[in-house]
Amino acid sequence: MRTICDVCDSAAAIIFCAADEAALCRSCDEKVHMCNKLASRHVRVGLADPSNVPLCDICENAPAFFYCEVDGSSLCLQCDMIVHVGGKRTHGRYLLLRQRVE
């Protein structure tokens, strides 16, 4: 899963700007952050290759989509259903957007 640039809505994003809360492609990052001295000071981090995503901590085979803070584990959809659905546990979980920063 790749992230699309929040400015042009077409190119793959490679940078995340914390101040703007935006994912940007290289071209849009240059346009937005090189326009003035203040914008050029924004803290930005590179987005890692989306193929490098964490695997499920239980089956260790499928890509993880959920993170359970209570268990401290990343889970694929199938393992999350087994562990958390059906009244067994009701831990708060976060959706992993499969986006890592470099």
Side-chain angles (χ1 to χ4, degrees):
M1 174 190 298
R2 70 180 191 156
T3 301
I4 302 298
C5 176
D6 289 322
V7 176
C8 68
D9 288 325
S10 61
I14 61 163
I15 300 281
F16 180 78
C17 174
D20 295 328
E21 296 181 6
L24 306 163
C25 67
R26 180 158 320 278
S27 176
C28 289
D29 177 57
E30 289 175 5
K31 289 176 192 171
V32 169
H33 292 105
M34 300 309 156
C35 67
N36 66 56
K37 194 173 186 177
L38 185 61
S40 69
R41 294 185 202 157
H42 287 177
V43 174
R44 302 182 319 275
V45 292
L47 297 175
D49 182 349
S51 64
N52 184 19
V53 297
L55 294 178
C56 177
D57 289 332
I58 294 177
C59 69
E60 299 178 344
N61 187 33
F65 283 96
F66 299 99
Y67 177 76
C68 175
E69 193 171 45
V70 173
D71 293 331
S73 59
S74 299
L75 305 162
C76 67
L77 181 59
Q78 185 173 355
C79 289
D80 180 68
M81 294 290 284
I82 293 167
V83 172
H84 292 109
V85 178
K88 295 177 185 176
R89 296 185 187 172
T90 57
H91 297 163
R93 283 132 35 233
Y94 299 94
L95 179 64
L96 289 175
L97 298 178
R98 300 175 64 175
Q99 201 63 63
R100 291 178 169 233
V101 295
E102 294 177 334

